[in-house]
Structures are given as C-alpha cells and as structure tokens.
C-alpha cells in the first residue's frame, strides 16, 4: 500500500548534517541554500530534475579533499532555496549562477551541472564567460542541440521528451506530488541506468528526492523551467535566447553522457562541441543512464578533478 503523508514536508529535510556547512546566500534577488566544504578554487555544483543539492553529497568531501572549495546549491525553486513564482527562464537561471559566484566572494568558478543543471551550466558559460572558468556538463546536450533534436528527431528525442511535455499541463505539480510523490521515483527509475536502479543505493536516494519535492511550492517551481523552455519557442523572448546562445563558448568544456540515457539521448548530446571554440572533450559512459553523478560516481569524480586541475 502506498504511504500517505499527513501534511507538507518541512525544508529541514534537506539540511542533513555531514562533512559540510549549510549557508543561505543572497544572489540575483533571491536567497539560495548552499552547502560547502573545503577551501581553494571554487567548484560549483548544479543538480538536475527531480533532485536537489544532495545529488552531490559524495562529491563535496572528495572534491574538498583534493584542494578545492566545493559548493552545491539548491537551484531556484528547489530544496531550501527561495521559491518565487517567476524567474525560471534561461536568462534568470544563468544570472543566478553568476550572482552566486560573486556572492560567495569568488571571481570565477568551475561549474559542474547535470541534467537541467547542465543546461543552466551551458547557458551561464555562454552569457557570463568571465565567471565560468571551466565547465563540466553531465547528461545535458547544448540547449540548441536539444531544441533542434526535439523537432528534427520525432522517433528519438521528441519521444524521449514526452514525459517532460506533460509538464505543460496546468497544475501538473499535483500529479508530481500525489501518493507521496511516487511519480518522482517513477522518473528516476525510467531515466536511470538499470544497474543503478536495481542497486542498493537507489531506494534511499529516491526516498530523499520524493521528500524534497513535497516541500511547499517546490514541485510547481521545478516544472516552471520546463514550461518556459517549451513556451518560449513561440515568443520573442525565446528567439532572443536562441540568438544569444549561438555565440561560441570560450570556456573549456568537458561533456560526460550516459550511453543508456533515455531522457537526453546520446545522439542528441553528440555534436554539442560545435558550440565550443575553447578546448572541448566528449566522453560516453557505458552502462550509465541519465544520472552519471550517482550511477558512476568514481568515474565522474575523477573526470571532474582532472578537468578542474588541467
């Protein structure tokens, strides 16, 4: 029988103690929850959907031990960060990253983003190149590659994007949170690699993501970024975004992608390097789905450190 909750989930569920420090930082007009460990050059981690900062729980102490200031953030609308009703367009989300880097007292940072956080990473590096020293993208094609593939590959990326197309429906956030947010676990199972989904860590991770999505307004905010992405196609706002994103990236970029990713297909992600004029590397991870940072943690950690130090 499905577990039923008696009321809203409190933000304290995303504030576990560990070898890190929780802080709240004001940036770009909002308050963000950040989790940090270590000192040195900053590495800023951006989680994907339907996750929150805990996606990087194992990475933070490891990156800190390697001599870096490791910082994971709850993106706008997620976890313990502010949940304003607006600001989920590509421009504002990129400005959030730029504002966080400045608010944390840094002149630049290596940005690591996965899934939706990876799309934000691409955009932040494009719009604010002086602040993004290096970029590591997981499970995220360049936004223009993704947009083109949705229209040009109906049996491929369009079909793979069908679950997120449902997010356009009004009040779909209630579907996301009903039955103790069972749909969150369904998405993790659908997009994750089979070895990870059947492994010993999946159930606990899914439980945490389900709980965080039930924080008041979190589900609505999480869907707004997807809603903007699709609706902007028909608006001047979106046309300007595409024009700006066509500028070549001058940030050295490492792109890691799971060979079994069914949310952002590998064939969609391949070719993103055409938008990068700086040093660029692509690596396909065998047996890995849409969540490389938890499915192949050691491999991803090694690649992040290699790219950050090079």
């Amino acid at each position: 029988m499905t577990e039923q909750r008696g009321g809203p989930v409190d933000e304290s569920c995303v504030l576990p103690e560990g070898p890190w420090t929780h802080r709240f930082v004001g940036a770009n007009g909002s308050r963000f929850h950040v989790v940090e460990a270590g000192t040195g050059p900053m590495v800023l981690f951006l989680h994907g959907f339907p996750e929150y900062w805990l996606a990087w729980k194992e990475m933070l102490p490891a990156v800190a031990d390697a001599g870096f200031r490791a910082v994971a953030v709850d993106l706008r609308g997620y976890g313990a960060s502010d949940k304003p009703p607006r600001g989920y367009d590509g421009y504002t989300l990129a400005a959030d990253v730029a504002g966080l880097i400045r608010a944390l007292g840094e002149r630049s940072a290596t940005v690591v983003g996965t899934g939706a956080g990876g799309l934000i990473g691409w955009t932040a590096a494009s719009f604010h190149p002086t602040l993004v020293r290096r970029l590591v993208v997981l499970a995220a094609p360049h936004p223009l590659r993704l947009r083109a593939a949705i229209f040009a590959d109906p049996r491929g990326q369009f079909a793979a994007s069908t679950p997120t197309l449902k997010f356009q429906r009004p009040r779909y956030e209630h579907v996301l949170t009903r039955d103790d947010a069972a749909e969150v676990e369904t998405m993790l199972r659908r997009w994750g690699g089979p070895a990870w989904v059947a492994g010993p860590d999946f159930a606990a991770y899914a439980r945490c993501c389900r709980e965080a999505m039930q924080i008041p307004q979190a589900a609505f905010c999480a869907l707004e970024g997807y809603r903007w992405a699709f609706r902007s196609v028909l608006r001047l706002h979106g046309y300007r975004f595409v024009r700006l994103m066509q500028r070549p990236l001058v940030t050295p970029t490492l792109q890691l992608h799971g060979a079994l990713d069914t949310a952002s297909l590998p064939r969609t992600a391949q070719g993103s390097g055409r938008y990068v004029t700086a040093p660029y590397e692509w690596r396909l991870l065998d047996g890995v789905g849409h969540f490389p940072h938890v499915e192949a943690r050691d491999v991803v950690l090694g690649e992040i450190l290699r790219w950050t130090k090079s």
Side-chain angles (χ1 to χ4, degrees):
M1 184 175 179
T2 304
E3 178 187 353
Q4 299 289 336
R5 285 199 173 272
V9 172
D10 189 82
E11 287 183 355
S12 61
C13 72
V14 302
L15 304 174
E17 295 183 359
W20 47 64
T21 301
H22 294 277
R23 291 177 57 191
F24 289 90
V25 178
N28 197 32
S30 291
R31 189 186 75 152
F32 292 88
H33 169 228
V34 301
V35 186
E36 62 179 306
T39 58
M42 189 166 80
V43 181
L44 180 63
F45 292 93
L46 312 177
H47 64 81
F49 173 89
E51 304 172 289
Y52 62 107
W53 79 265
L54 199 76
W56 308 107
K57 180 181 70 171
E58 307 294 337
M59 297 282 185
L60 291 180
V63 171
D65 288 345
F68 296 95
R69 182 186 183 189
V71 181
V73 59
D74 279 333
L75 297 174
R76 172 185 294 260
Y78 287 84
S81 290
D82 276 356
K83 299 168 184 62
R86 297 179 180 84
Y88 301 93
D89 57 276
Y91 305 93
T92 304
L93 295 174
D96 287 347
V97 174
L100 277 165
I101 293 170
R102 295 191 188 101
L104 289 165
E106 302 286 348
R107 299 178 67 177
S108 65
T110 294
V111 173
V112 181
T114 187
L119 296 173
I120 296 171
W122 282 114
T123 309
S126 179
F127 289 4
H128 308 281
T130 60
L131 291 171
V132 182
R133 183 172 58 250
R134 284 183 172 267
L135 177 65
V136 181
V137 178
L138 315 175
H142 187 279
L144 299 190
R145 282 286 298 169
L146 179 60
R147 182 179 290 228
I150 288 174
F151 293 102
D153 188 8
R155 294 186 179 180
Q157 190 57 57
F158 180 84
S161 300
T162 300
T164 57
L165 290 171
K166 294 178 181 177
F167 297 169
Q168 304 303 307
R169 288 163 47 187
R171 302 178 69 82
Y172 192 81
E173 54 269 21
H174 299 299
V175 175
L176 201 59
T177 55
R178 71 186 178 196
D179 296 332
D180 194 25
E183 183 66 14
V184 169
E185 182 167 338
T186 298
M187 290 178 177
L188 291 170
R189 288 185 181 278
R190 179 187 297 129
W191 293 336
W196 174 62
V197 170
D201 300 329
F202 177 81
Y205 188 69
R207 173 72 261 158
C208 290
C209 291
R210 289 172 66 171
E211 191 170 26
M213 194 60 73
Q214 295 178 77
I215 294 171
Q217 299 304 313
F220 169 80
C221 297
L223 299 183
E224 281 296 279
Y226 289 92
R227 288 167 173 163
W228 177 83
F230 285 101
R231 294 171 186 174
S232 67
V233 172
L234 303 175
R235 297 175 180 174
L236 181 61
H237 204 235
Y239 175 75
R240 287 182 56 246
F241 180 80
V242 169
R243 290 291 301 273
L244 290 171
M245 286 300 297
Q246 288 174 346
R247 296 181 302 191
L249 255 69
V250 296
T251 301
T253 302
L254 171 65
Q255 188 173 8
L256 308 175
H257 208 89
L260 303 181
D261 192 334
T262 57
S264 299
L265 302 184
R267 71 191 195 211
T268 300
Q270 284 178 320
S272 296
R274 64 177 288 192
Y275 296 100
V276 185
T277 56
Y280 168 85
E281 289 185 21
W282 157 270
R283 181 174 176 185
L284 195 64
L285 305 177
D286 292 335
V288 174
H290 188 59
F291 305 99
H293 52 295
V294 289
E295 297 183 47
R297 188 177 297 119
D298 292 342
V299 173
V300 171
L301 172 62
E303 289 292 286
I304 291 171
L305 294 178
R306 177 182 68 84
W307 196 248
T308 304
K309 291 177 178 178
S310 63

mmCIF file of all heavy atoms in Angstrom, residues 115-158:
data_model
loop_
_atom_site.group_PDB
_atom_site.id
_atom_site.type_symbol
_atom_site.label_atom_id
_atom_site.label_comp_id
_atom_site.label_asym_id
_atom_site.label_seq_id
_atom_site.Cartn_x
_atom_site.Cartn_y
_atom_site.Cartn_z
ATOM 1 N N GLY A 115 21.947 17.203 -15.989
ATOM 2 C CA GLY A 115 20.556 17.302 -16.406
ATOM 3 C C GLY A 115 20.136 18.752 -16.611
ATOM 4 O O GLY A 115 20.782 19.505 -17.337
ATOM 5 N N ALA A 116 19.048 19.152 -15.959
ATOM 6 C CA ALA A 116 18.596 20.539 -16.061
ATOM 7 C C ALA A 116 19.671 21.502 -15.579
ATOM 8 O O ALA A 116 19.817 22.605 -16.120
ATOM 9 C CB ALA A 116 17.314 20.725 -15.245
ATOM 10 N N GLY A 117 20.450 21.089 -14.568
ATOM 11 C CA GLY A 117 21.563 21.911 -14.102
ATOM 12 C C GLY A 117 22.656 22.034 -15.153
ATOM 13 O O GLY A 117 23.364 23.039 -15.220
ATOM 14 N N GLY A 118 22.807 21.007 -15.979
ATOM 15 C CA GLY A 118 23.761 21.071 -17.072
ATOM 16 C C GLY A 118 23.343 22.083 -18.129
ATOM 17 O O GLY A 118 24.175 22.821 -18.678
ATOM 18 N N LEU A 119 22.050 22.129 -18.428
ATOM 19 C CA LEU A 119 21.542 23.130 -19.364
ATOM 20 C C LEU A 119 21.792 24.538 -18.847
ATOM 21 O O LEU A 119 22.161 25.439 -19.597
ATOM 22 C CB LEU A 119 20.044 22.906 -19.600
ATOM 23 C CG LEU A 119 19.654 21.589 -20.281
ATOM 24 C CD1 LEU A 119 18.138 21.426 -20.294
ATOM 25 C CD2 LEU A 119 20.197 21.531 -21.705
ATOM 26 N N ILE A 120 21.609 24.725 -17.538
ATOM 27 C CA ILE A 120 21.894 26.021 -16.930
ATOM 28 C C ILE A 120 23.391 26.315 -17.011
ATOM 29 O O ILE A 120 23.810 27.454 -17.252
ATOM 30 C CB ILE A 120 21.407 26.058 -15.471
ATOM 31 C CG1 ILE A 120 19.887 25.919 -15.417
ATOM 32 C CG2 ILE A 120 21.840 27.353 -14.776
ATOM 33 C CD1 ILE A 120 19.336 25.717 -14.014
ATOM 34 N N GLY A 121 24.226 25.286 -16.823
ATOM 35 C CA GLY A 121 25.667 25.464 -16.936
ATOM 36 C C GLY A 121 26.073 25.948 -18.312
ATOM 37 O O GLY A 121 26.886 26.872 -18.448
ATOM 38 N N TRP A 122 25.532 25.312 -19.355
ATOM 39 C CA TRP A 122 25.798 25.770 -20.722
ATOM 40 C C TRP A 122 25.449 27.251 -20.875
ATOM 41 O O TRP A 122 26.216 28.036 -21.451
ATOM 42 C CB TRP A 122 24.959 24.988 -21.721
ATOM 43 C CG TRP A 122 25.386 23.614 -22.107
ATOM 44 C CD1 TRP A 122 24.730 22.437 -21.838
ATOM 45 C CD2 TRP A 122 26.533 23.230 -22.898
ATOM 46 N NE1 TRP A 122 25.396 21.366 -22.398
ATOM 47 C CE2 TRP A 122 26.502 21.825 -23.060
ATOM 48 C CE3 TRP A 122 27.569 23.963 -23.483
ATOM 49 C CZ2 TRP A 122 27.475 21.127 -23.776
ATOM 50 C CZ3 TRP A 122 28.548 23.269 -24.195
ATOM 51 C CH2 TRP A 122 28.500 21.873 -24.336
ATOM 52 N N THR A 123 24.266 27.630 -20.366
ATOM 53 C CA THR A 123 23.780 28.998 -20.535
ATOM 54 C C THR A 123 24.619 29.987 -19.740
ATOM 55 O O THR A 123 24.956 31.067 -20.241
ATOM 56 C CB THR A 123 22.307 29.089 -20.112
ATOM 57 O OG1 THR A 123 21.553 28.063 -20.766
ATOM 58 C CG2 THR A 123 21.717 30.435 -20.471
ATOM 59 N N ALA A 124 24.976 29.630 -18.514
ATOM 60 C CA ALA A 124 25.794 30.521 -17.685
ATOM 61 C C ALA A 124 27.152 30.764 -18.332
ATOM 62 O O ALA A 124 27.659 31.890 -18.338
ATOM 63 C CB ALA A 124 25.966 29.926 -16.290
ATOM 64 N N ALA A 125 27.758 29.716 -18.889
ATOM 65 C CA ALA A 125 29.057 29.869 -19.539
ATOM 66 C C ALA A 125 28.950 30.732 -20.789
ATOM 67 O O ALA A 125 29.890 31.456 -21.141
ATOM 68 C CB ALA A 125 29.634 28.497 -19.887
ATOM 69 N N SER A 126 27.804 30.655 -21.464
ATOM 70 C CA SER A 126 27.597 31.460 -22.670
ATOM 71 C C SER A 126 27.334 32.925 -22.341
ATOM 72 O O SER A 126 27.903 33.823 -22.966
ATOM 73 C CB SER A 126 26.424 30.891 -23.472
ATOM 74 O OG SER A 126 26.177 31.647 -24.632
ATOM 75 N N PHE A 127 26.511 33.172 -21.335
ATOM 76 C CA PHE A 127 26.113 34.549 -21.005
ATOM 77 C C PHE A 127 27.112 35.258 -20.089
ATOM 78 O O PHE A 127 27.188 36.483 -20.097
ATOM 79 C CB PHE A 127 24.734 34.550 -20.328
ATOM 80 C CG PHE A 127 23.586 34.216 -21.250
ATOM 81 C CD1 PHE A 127 23.798 33.858 -22.575
ATOM 82 C CD2 PHE A 127 22.287 34.251 -20.781
ATOM 83 C CE1 PHE A 127 22.742 33.549 -23.415
ATOM 84 C CE2 PHE A 127 21.216 33.950 -21.622
ATOM 85 C CZ PHE A 127 21.437 33.594 -22.942
ATOM 86 N N HIS A 128 27.849 34.483 -19.284
ATOM 87 C CA HIS A 128 28.768 35.073 -18.296
ATOM 88 C C HIS A 128 30.132 34.388 -18.378
ATOM 89 O O HIS A 128 30.589 33.771 -17.402
ATOM 90 C CB HIS A 128 28.177 34.952 -16.895
ATOM 91 C CG HIS A 128 26.776 35.475 -16.765
ATOM 92 N ND1 HIS A 128 26.494 36.813 -16.649
ATOM 93 C CD2 HIS A 128 25.568 34.829 -16.779
ATOM 94 C CE1 HIS A 128 25.176 36.981 -16.571
ATOM 95 N NE2 HIS A 128 24.599 35.801 -16.648
ATOM 96 N N PRO A 129 30.812 34.466 -19.513
ATOM 97 C CA PRO A 129 32.036 33.681 -19.737
ATOM 98 C C PRO A 129 33.179 34.009 -18.792
ATOM 99 O O PRO A 129 34.000 33.138 -18.491
ATOM 100 C CB PRO A 129 32.397 33.997 -21.186
ATOM 101 C CG PRO A 129 31.718 35.301 -21.487
ATOM 102 C CD PRO A 129 30.458 35.284 -20.692
ATOM 103 N N THR A 130 33.251 35.236 -18.300
ATOM 104 C CA THR A 130 34.366 35.580 -17.415
ATOM 105 C C THR A 130 34.217 34.955 -16.034
ATOM 106 O O THR A 130 35.200 34.835 -15.294
ATOM 107 C CB THR A 130 34.492 37.106 -17.261
ATOM 108 O OG1 THR A 130 33.276 37.627 -16.689
ATOM 109 C CG2 THR A 130 34.749 37.760 -18.612
ATOM 110 N N LEU A 131 33.006 34.541 -15.674
ATOM 111 C CA LEU A 131 32.764 33.974 -14.348
ATOM 112 C C LEU A 131 32.872 32.453 -14.330
ATOM 113 O O LEU A 131 33.051 31.859 -13.263
ATOM 114 C CB LEU A 131 31.380 34.386 -13.845
ATOM 115 C CG LEU A 131 31.207 35.874 -13.510
ATOM 116 C CD1 LEU A 131 29.754 36.193 -13.231
ATOM 117 C CD2 LEU A 131 32.068 36.254 -12.323
ATOM 118 N N VAL A 132 32.727 31.810 -15.483
ATOM 119 C CA VAL A 132 32.806 30.353 -15.556
ATOM 120 C C VAL A 132 34.176 29.983 -16.117
ATOM 121 O O VAL A 132 34.420 30.069 -17.317
ATOM 122 C CB VAL A 132 31.673 29.770 -16.432
ATOM 123 C CG1 VAL A 132 31.750 28.240 -16.437
ATOM 124 C CG2 VAL A 132 30.312 30.228 -15.896
ATOM 125 N N ARG A 133 35.059 29.575 -15.218
ATOM 126 C CA ARG A 133 36.451 29.278 -15.582
ATOM 127 C C ARG A 133 36.541 28.002 -16.415
ATOM 128 O O ARG A 133 37.249 27.929 -17.405
ATOM 129 C CB ARG A 133 37.285 29.154 -14.304
ATOM 130 C CG ARG A 133 38.762 28.916 -14.521
ATOM 131 C CD ARG A 133 39.535 29.007 -13.211
ATOM 132 N NE ARG A 133 39.062 28.054 -12.217
ATOM 133 C CZ ARG A 133 38.391 28.382 -11.112
ATOM 134 N NH1 ARG A 133 38.099 29.645 -10.864
ATOM 135 N NH2 ARG A 133 38.007 27.463 -10.257
ATOM 136 N N ARG A 134 35.839 26.975 -15.968
ATOM 137 C CA ARG A 134 35.755 25.705 -16.681
ATOM 138 C C ARG A 134 34.355 25.150 -16.494
ATOM 139 O O ARG A 134 33.691 25.439 -15.500
ATOM 140 C CB ARG A 134 36.806 24.702 -16.179
ATOM 141 C CG ARG A 134 38.201 25.016 -16.699
ATOM 142 C CD ARG A 134 39.249 23.997 -16.269
ATOM 143 N NE ARG A 134 40.501 24.277 -16.966
ATOM 144 C CZ ARG A 134 40.863 23.720 -18.108
ATOM 145 N NH1 ARG A 134 40.079 22.820 -18.675
ATOM 146 N NH2 ARG A 134 42.005 24.032 -18.695
ATOM 147 N N LEU A 135 33.924 24.325 -17.439
ATOM 148 C CA LEU A 135 32.569 23.789 -17.413
ATOM 149 C C LEU A 135 32.613 22.275 -17.568
ATOM 150 O O LEU A 135 33.310 21.753 -18.439
ATOM 151 C CB LEU A 135 31.744 24.401 -18.557
ATOM 152 C CG LEU A 135 30.303 23.904 -18.737
ATOM 153 C CD1 LEU A 135 29.445 24.291 -17.532
ATOM 154 C CD2 LEU A 135 29.701 24.480 -20.028
ATOM 155 N N VAL A 136 31.869 21.583 -16.697
ATOM 156 C CA VAL A 136 31.680 20.137 -16.821
ATOM 157 C C VAL A 136 30.179 19.895 -16.916
ATOM 158 O O VAL A 136 29.424 20.279 -16.013
ATOM 159 C CB VAL A 136 32.267 19.362 -15.622
ATOM 160 C CG1 VAL A 136 32.061 17.857 -15.822
ATOM 161 C CG2 VAL A 136 33.750 19.677 -15.442
ATOM 162 N N VAL A 137 29.738 19.270 -18.003
ATOM 163 C CA VAL A 137 28.322 19.052 -18.254
ATOM 164 C C VAL A 137 28.040 17.555 -18.261
ATOM 165 O O VAL A 137 28.692 16.792 -18.971
ATOM 166 C CB VAL A 137 27.899 19.670 -19.600
ATOM 167 C CG1 VAL A 137 26.430 19.390 -19.855
ATOM 168 C CG2 VAL A 137 28.169 21.157 -19.617
ATOM 169 N N LEU A 138 27.046 17.138 -17.464
ATOM 170 C CA LEU A 138 26.631 15.740 -17.412
ATOM 171 C C LEU A 138 25.189 15.631 -17.914
ATOM 172 O O LEU A 138 24.320 16.405 -17.503
ATOM 173 C CB LEU A 138 26.687 15.204 -15.975
ATOM 174 C CG LEU A 138 27.922 15.523 -15.128
ATOM 175 C CD1 LEU A 138 27.727 15.014 -13.710
ATOM 176 C CD2 LEU A 138 29.157 14.913 -15.740
ATOM 177 N N ALA A 139 24.940 14.671 -18.788
ATOM 178 C CA ALA A 139 23.571 14.335 -19.201
ATOM 179 C C ALA A 139 22.790 15.526 -19.729
ATOM 180 O O ALA A 139 21.584 15.628 -19.518
ATOM 181 C CB ALA A 139 22.818 13.709 -18.017
ATOM 182 N N ALA A 140 23.472 16.428 -20.433
ATOM 183 C CA ALA A 140 22.792 17.622 -20.936
ATOM 184 C C ALA A 140 23.391 18.059 -22.269
ATOM 185 O O ALA A 140 24.525 18.530 -22.312
ATOM 186 C CB ALA A 140 22.892 18.767 -19.925
ATOM 187 N N PRO A 141 22.646 17.921 -23.349
ATOM 188 C CA PRO A 141 23.099 18.487 -24.621
ATOM 189 C C PRO A 141 23.139 20.012 -24.532
ATOM 190 O O PRO A 141 22.507 20.612 -23.653
ATOM 191 C CB PRO A 141 22.025 18.042 -25.619
ATOM 192 C CG PRO A 141 21.185 17.032 -24.894
ATOM 193 C CD PRO A 141 21.324 17.307 -23.448
ATOM 194 N N HIS A 142 23.884 20.640 -25.427
ATOM 195 C CA HIS A 142 23.779 22.091 -25.537
ATOM 196 C C HIS A 142 22.307 22.422 -25.786
ATOM 197 O O HIS A 142 21.614 21.715 -26.531
ATOM 198 C CB HIS A 142 24.650 22.578 -26.697
ATOM 199 C CG HIS A 142 24.739 24.064 -26.803
ATOM 200 N ND1 HIS A 142 23.748 24.825 -27.397
ATOM 201 C CD2 HIS A 142 25.701 24.937 -26.384
ATOM 202 C CE1 HIS A 142 24.099 26.106 -27.344
ATOM 203 N NE2 HIS A 142 25.274 26.195 -26.736
ATOM 204 N N PRO A 143 21.772 23.484 -25.162
ATOM 205 C CA PRO A 143 20.341 23.792 -25.313
ATOM 206 C C PRO A 143 19.868 23.875 -26.759
ATOM 207 O O PRO A 143 18.735 23.470 -27.065
ATOM 208 C CB PRO A 143 20.211 25.141 -24.597
ATOM 209 C CG PRO A 143 21.273 25.106 -23.551
ATOM 210 C CD PRO A 143 22.423 24.379 -24.180
ATOM 211 N N LEU A 144 20.700 24.367 -27.658
ATOM 212 C CA LEU A 144 20.278 24.462 -29.060
ATOM 213 C C LEU A 144 20.261 23.096 -29.738
ATOM 214 O O LEU A 144 19.447 22.847 -30.621
ATOM 215 C CB LEU A 144 21.180 25.434 -29.821
ATOM 216 C CG LEU A 144 21.186 26.877 -29.303
ATOM 217 C CD1 LEU A 144 21.925 27.784 -30.273
ATOM 218 C CD2 LEU A 144 19.772 27.400 -29.048
ATOM 219 N N ARG A 145 21.158 22.199 -29.326
ATOM 220 C CA ARG A 145 21.119 20.818 -29.835
ATOM 221 C C ARG A 145 19.832 20.133 -29.386
ATOM 222 O O ARG A 145 19.181 19.432 -30.161
ATOM 223 C CB ARG A 145 22.326 20.036 -29.324
ATOM 224 C CG ARG A 145 23.623 20.312 -30.053
ATOM 225 C CD ARG A 145 23.665 19.689 -31.430
ATOM 226 N NE ARG A 145 23.563 18.240 -31.393
ATOM 227 C CZ ARG A 145 23.367 17.488 -32.470
ATOM 228 N NH1 ARG A 145 23.253 18.050 -33.663
ATOM 229 N NH2 ARG A 145 23.287 16.171 -32.372
ATOM 230 N N LEU A 146 19.476 20.335 -28.112
ATOM 231 C CA LEU A 146 18.271 19.711 -27.581
ATOM 232 C C LEU A 146 17.036 20.248 -28.285
ATOM 233 O O LEU A 146 16.152 19.484 -28.705
ATOM 234 C CB LEU A 146 18.181 19.968 -26.076
ATOM 235 C CG LEU A 146 16.957 19.400 -25.368
ATOM 236 C CD1 LEU A 146 16.883 17.883 -25.520
ATOM 237 C CD2 LEU A 146 16.982 19.776 -23.882
ATOM 238 N N ARG A 147 16.975 21.561 -28.447
ATOM 239 C CA ARG A 147 15.820 22.174 -29.088
ATOM 240 C C ARG A 147 15.665 21.673 -30.522
ATOM 241 O O ARG A 147 14.563 21.326 -30.964
ATOM 242 C CB ARG A 147 15.978 23.698 -29.064
ATOM 243 C CG ARG A 147 14.808 24.456 -29.667
ATOM 244 C CD ARG A 147 15.039 25.947 -29.577
ATOM 245 N NE ARG A 147 14.959 26.414 -28.214
ATOM 246 C CZ ARG A 147 14.257 27.485 -27.822
ATOM 247 N NH1 ARG A 147 13.561 28.158 -28.712
ATOM 248 N NH2 ARG A 147 14.244 27.867 -26.573
ATOM 249 N N ALA A 148 16.768 21.613 -31.260
ATOM 250 C CA ALA A 148 16.715 21.167 -32.654
ATOM 251 C C ALA A 148 16.296 19.701 -32.751
ATOM 252 O O ALA A 148 15.504 19.322 -33.618
ATOM 253 C CB ALA A 148 18.074 21.385 -33.317
ATOM 254 N N ALA A 149 16.820 18.864 -31.843
ATOM 255 C CA ALA A 149 16.539 17.427 -31.907
ATOM 256 C C ALA A 149 15.076 17.121 -31.588
ATOM 257 O O ALA A 149 14.503 16.177 -32.141
ATOM 258 C CB ALA A 149 17.459 16.676 -30.953
ATOM 259 N N ILE A 150 14.469 17.887 -30.701
ATOM 260 C CA ILE A 150 13.060 17.650 -30.363
ATOM 261 C C ILE A 150 12.183 17.787 -31.609
ATOM 262 O O ILE A 150 11.229 17.029 -31.806
ATOM 263 C CB ILE A 150 12.607 18.613 -29.246
ATOM 264 C CG1 ILE A 150 13.244 18.209 -27.912
ATOM 265 C CG2 ILE A 150 11.088 18.640 -29.127
ATOM 266 C CD1 ILE A 150 12.988 19.180 -26.780
ATOM 267 N N PHE A 151 12.543 18.724 -32.484
ATOM 268 C CA PHE A 151 11.747 18.950 -33.689
ATOM 269 C C PHE A 151 12.197 18.069 -34.857
ATOM 270 O O PHE A 151 11.383 17.679 -35.692
ATOM 271 C CB PHE A 151 11.813 20.430 -34.085
ATOM 272 C CG PHE A 151 11.131 21.341 -33.109
ATOM 273 C CD1 PHE A 151 11.869 22.076 -32.193
ATOM 274 C CD2 PHE A 151 9.749 21.448 -33.073
ATOM 275 C CE1 PHE A 151 11.242 22.911 -31.278
ATOM 276 C CE2 PHE A 151 9.110 22.276 -32.162
ATOM 277 C CZ PHE A 151 9.861 23.014 -31.258
ATOM 278 N N ALA A 152 13.489 17.757 -34.915
ATOM 279 C CA ALA A 152 14.032 17.049 -36.079
ATOM 280 C C ALA A 152 14.083 15.540 -35.912
ATOM 281 O O ALA A 152 14.290 14.817 -36.883
ATOM 282 C CB ALA A 152 15.437 17.579 -36.397
ATOM 283 N N ASP A 153 13.893 15.043 -34.680
ATOM 284 C CA ASP A 153 14.042 13.609 -34.408
ATOM 285 C C ASP A 153 12.793 13.105 -33.685
ATOM 286 O O ASP A 153 12.828 12.802 -32.485
ATOM 287 C CB ASP A 153 15.306 13.386 -33.561
ATOM 288 C CG ASP A 153 15.651 11.918 -33.380
ATOM 289 O OD1 ASP A 153 15.005 11.062 -34.030
ATOM 290 O OD2 ASP A 153 16.573 11.617 -32.586
ATOM 291 N N PRO A 154 11.663 13.001 -34.387
ATOM 292 C CA PRO A 154 10.390 12.677 -33.724
ATOM 293 C C PRO A 154 10.383 11.313 -33.044
ATOM 294 O O PRO A 154 9.752 11.146 -31.999
ATOM 295 C CB PRO A 154 9.358 12.751 -34.852
ATOM 296 C CG PRO A 154 10.137 12.616 -36.116
ATOM 297 C CD PRO A 154 11.469 13.231 -35.843
ATOM 298 N N ARG A 155 11.057 10.318 -33.620
ATOM 299 C CA ARG A 155 11.077 8.994 -33.005
ATOM 300 C C ARG A 155 12.167 8.866 -31.948
ATOM 301 O O ARG A 155 12.219 7.851 -31.255
ATOM 302 C CB ARG A 155 11.277 7.929 -34.087
ATOM 303 C CG ARG A 155 10.119 7.820 -35.060
ATOM 304 C CD ARG A 155 10.310 6.669 -36.014
ATOM 305 N NE ARG A 155 9.190 6.530 -36.942
ATOM 306 C CZ ARG A 155 9.108 5.597 -37.876
ATOM 307 N NH1 ARG A 155 10.101 4.724 -38.022
ATOM 308 N NH2 ARG A 155 8.064 5.543 -38.669
ATOM 309 N N GLY A 156 13.028 9.850 -31.877
ATOM 310 C CA GLY A 156 14.122 9.817 -30.924
ATOM 311 C C GLY A 156 13.910 10.790 -29.783
ATOM 312 O O GLY A 156 13.197 10.493 -28.828
ATOM 313 N N GLN A 157 14.494 12.011 -29.900
ATOM 314 C CA GLN A 157 14.455 12.953 -28.793
ATOM 315 C C GLN A 157 13.053 13.455 -28.485
ATOM 316 O O GLN A 157 12.720 13.681 -27.318
ATOM 317 C CB GLN A 157 15.396 14.129 -29.052
ATOM 318 C CG GLN A 157 15.596 15.035 -27.844
ATOM 319 C CD GLN A 157 16.125 14.286 -26.639
ATOM 320 O OE1 GLN A 157 17.172 13.660 -26.698
ATOM 321 N NE2 GLN A 157 15.416 14.341 -25.511
ATOM 322 N N PHE A 158 12.216 13.622 -29.504
ATOM 323 C CA PHE A 158 10.846 14.062 -29.220
ATOM 324 C C PHE A 158 10.126 13.024 -28.370
ATOM 325 O O PHE A 158 9.469 13.355 -27.368
ATOM 326 C CB PHE A 158 10.070 14.310 -30.510
ATOM 327 C CG PHE A 158 8.652 14.775 -30.267
ATOM 328 C CD1 PHE A 158 8.376 16.107 -30.045
ATOM 329 C CD2 PHE A 158 7.597 13.871 -30.241
ATOM 330 C CE1 PHE A 158 7.076 16.540 -29.804
ATOM 331 C CE2 PHE A 158 6.296 14.287 -30.007
ATOM 332 C CZ PHE A 158 6.030 15.621 -29.788
#
